[in-house]
Amino acid sequence: MAKDKKSSGFPWVVVAIVAFLIIRRLIRSARALSGSSGISLGSAMGTLISNFLHATLVVALVLLGIAAVVGLILWIVHRGDRQVKKAKTQLMEGKTEKLLPVLSSYRGKFGIGGIAEAAVRQMSNLEKKTPILKQMIEEKFEVGSMSYDRFATPVENSIATVKGNSLTLAKELEGFDDEEFQKLSKAIQSGDYRHDVIDDEIQKERFAIYQHKLSEMERIISTNEQMLLMLDRISVELSKLQSNQIDREGSQLLQEIDELAKTAKYYQERL
C-alpha cells in the first residue's frame, strides 16, 4: 500500500521540480537582463513573467484545441459503438432495419470477418435490388391481378428470406468467440495443444464445433447468394415478358424460388 502511495505522488514531485527549474531560470534571466540593459531587477522580472504568461496562454490554447479534437474523435467513435449496440438490441427483437451496421461490426474479426463481409455485400445488394424489382413488377402487371401476385409474392418471400437469413447470421456472429477460436486454431495448427494442461480431445472437439458453426454460417451465405441470383433472373425474365405474358421459363423460375425459400427457412430453424 505504501508503495502505491509513493508511486501515485511521483508525478507531483516531477511537477514541483519542473516548476522550481522554471522559476530559477526566470530569476537568472531577469538578473542577466537587468545587468545588461541597466533596468531594475523588478522591471526585468515583470517583463519576463509577462512574456512567460503570454507564452503559457498560447500553449494552453493549443493544448485545449488538441484536447477538443481528440474529444470529438472519441465521441464519434463511441457514438458509433452505441449505435451498433442499439442495433444489436433491435436485432434480438427480430427487427432487421439495422442489419448492415451490425454485420459491419464483425468485419476484420478472426474466422468470421470474411463471412461478415459477404453478408454486408449481400444486404447492400438486396437494398439496391428491392425497389427496382418491385417497380418492374408494378409496371408489367396490374396491381392485385393474378399475374402480379404470381411474381410479387415469391419476390417478397425471397427478400424476407434473405433478411431472415441475415438476421440469423448476425445472431450467430454475435455468439462466436473469435478470440478463443484464434487461440485454439493456433494451438491446434502448431501442435501446442498437446503440451498444455487441457485435455487434447476436449480441445479438438471444441475446435470441431467452431468449424461446424463456420460451415453453417457459410451455408447461409451460399443460400442468400442463390436467392439474390434468383432475383436477378426474375429481373431478366420480367424484362423479356410482354404485358401479362408468363412463359414456361418464368413459371419454372418461380417454382425454383419457392423451393429455395423453403430450404432457407429449414436452415433458419436448424440454427
Side-chain angles (χ1 to χ4, degrees):
M1 183 67 69
K3 184 177 179 182
D4 292 341
K5 289 182 179 180
K6 183 179 179 181
S7 60
S8 63
F10 180 74
W12 294 107
V13 175
V14 175
V15 171
I17 293 173
V18 172
F20 171 75
L21 292 175
I22 291 174
I23 293 172
R24 189 174 69 171
R25 179 63 180 172
L26 284 172
I27 294 173
R28 286 181 177 179
S29 299
R31 285 175 178 173
L33 182 61
S34 64
S36 62
S37 61
I39 61 176
S40 66
L41 179 62
S43 177
M45 179 64 78
T47 301
L48 285 173
I49 291 176
S50 176
N51 292 337
F52 174 75
L53 291 176
H54 279 91
T56 302
L57 178 61
V58 172
V59 172
L61 289 175
V62 171
L63 293 176
L64 183 61
I66 294 174
V69 172
V70 172
L72 178 61
I73 293 174
L74 291 175
W75 180 81
I76 292 173
V77 171
H78 289 299
R79 180 171 177 267
D81 292 339
R82 288 193 295 270
Q83 288 178 339
V84 171
K85 186 176 181 180
K86 182 179 179 181
K88 288 181 179 180
T89 301
Q90 293 177 339
L91 286 187
M92 295 304 154
E93 299 171 354
K95 300 176 182 178
T96 59
E97 292 82 2
K98 300 295 183 179
L99 262 174
L100 271 177
V102 174
L103 293 172
S104 297
S105 67
Y106 302 109
R107 293 191 292 189
K109 292 193 174 184
F110 184 83
I112 58 176
I115 294 174
E117 188 73 39
V120 169
R121 177 184 55 79
Q122 289 178 341
M123 283 301 301
S124 299
N125 195 358
L126 183 68
E127 289 185 356
K128 293 177 183 178
K129 292 179 186 295
T130 298
I132 298 175
L133 196 51
K134 288 183 177 180
Q135 183 179 355
M136 289 183 67
I137 296 175
E138 291 178 1
E139 290 176 352
K140 287 288 182 180
F141 311 110
E142 182 180 352
V143 178
S145 65
M146 292 182 60
S147 298
Y148 174 88
D149 292 339
R150 192 171 186 185
F151 271 89
T153 300
V155 166
E156 290 289 349
N157 290 340
S158 299
I159 293 170
T161 300
V162 173
K163 289 183 177 180
N165 282 351
S166 300
L167 174 61
T168 301
L169 183 61
K171 293 179 180 179
E172 290 295 311
L173 290 170
E174 176 67 17
F176 192 92
D177 191 337
D178 60 298
E179 293 182 357
E180 183 184 10
F181 177 60
Q182 185 174 16
K183 294 177 181 178
L184 190 56
S185 296
K186 290 181 178 179
I188 295 293
Q189 292 172 6
S190 64
D192 291 344
Y193 76 100
R194 299 190 183 95
H195 310 297
D196 56 27
V197 296
I198 305 176
D199 185 88
D200 296 350
E201 294 302 319
I202 291 178
Q203 293 187 78
K204 288 193 291 185
E205 184 175 353
R206 183 174 289 120
F207 183 67
I209 291 174
Y210 275 114
Q211 288 183 312
H212 176 71
K213 288 182 178 180
L214 288 174
S215 177
E216 290 297 318
M217 286 189 278
E218 289 171 355
R219 192 189 300 271
I220 292 177
I221 292 294
S222 178
T223 303
N224 276 357
E225 203 64 38
Q226 292 181 59
M227 276 290 184
L228 292 171
L229 178 60
M230 290 293 184
L231 291 176
D232 286 337
R233 290 175 59 187
I234 285 182
S235 179
V236 172
E237 188 66 24
L238 284 173
S239 65
K240 296 191 303 183
L241 292 177
Q242 297 294 328
S243 185
N244 62 349
Q245 176 187 1
I246 299 180
D247 59 14
R248 185 184 306 174
E249 183 178 353
S251 299
Q252 182 179 355
L253 179 60
L254 295 176
Q255 184 178 355
E256 290 177 12
I257 291 176
D258 184 59
E259 292 175 356
L260 185 58
K262 291 179 181 178
T263 303
K265 290 179 181 179
Y266 168 73
Y267 288 135
Q268 289 179 31
E269 292 171 356
R270 288 184 59 189
L271 292 173

